[in-house]
Amino acid sequence: MRLRNNVFPFLMVAWLAVFCWSFWVFFDTAPAGDGFVRGMNRVFGFLGWQAAATGLAIVIAMTGKRFERGSGARWLARIPAACAILLVLAVIAAIIIAVATAP
């Protein structure tokens, strides 16, 4: 029990750092390439860091299931997974909107 209490805050801080870093990489990286694929390095950098954040979110969710039902830590452990799911839904929505509004 004690080890879990020490690891959980570290995992949450690590997830938050990786999650925020993915956006920083996207906005701070200069676009590379020519033509249609110009700037894909930014997208792949973002998605790579988001994959790492999703991996941490899965570990956090598994760790959070061990806390008492209804506790604040258990609810807090759900936030990273919810952010990952919302990001996937946002990407799917963007694709649907792009396809639906195509001339």
Side-chain angles (χ1 to χ4, degrees), residues 28-87:
D28 193 48
T29 303
D34 293 326
F36 179 71
V37 295
R38 180 169 173 79
M40 286 300 289
N41 63 323
R42 298 171 63 188
V43 174
F44 287 137
F46 173 76
L47 292 176
W49 284 104
Q50 280 297 321
T54 301
L56 281 170
I58 291 169
V59 171
I60 290 169
M62 290 172 27
T63 304
K65 284 188 169 194
R66 295 188 176 121
F67 289 113
E68 296 178 25
R69 288 185 181 264
S71 68
R74 190 167 178 151
W75 279 98
L76 187 64
R78 295 175 181 167
I79 291 174
C83 287
I85 291 169
L86 287 174
L87 185 66

Side-chain angles (χ1 to χ4, degrees), residues 1-7 66-68:
M1 181 72 172
R2 179 128 173 96
L3 178 64
R4 189 176 6 168
N5 291 340
N6 291 337
V7 171
R66 295 188 176 121
F67 289 113
E68 296 178 25

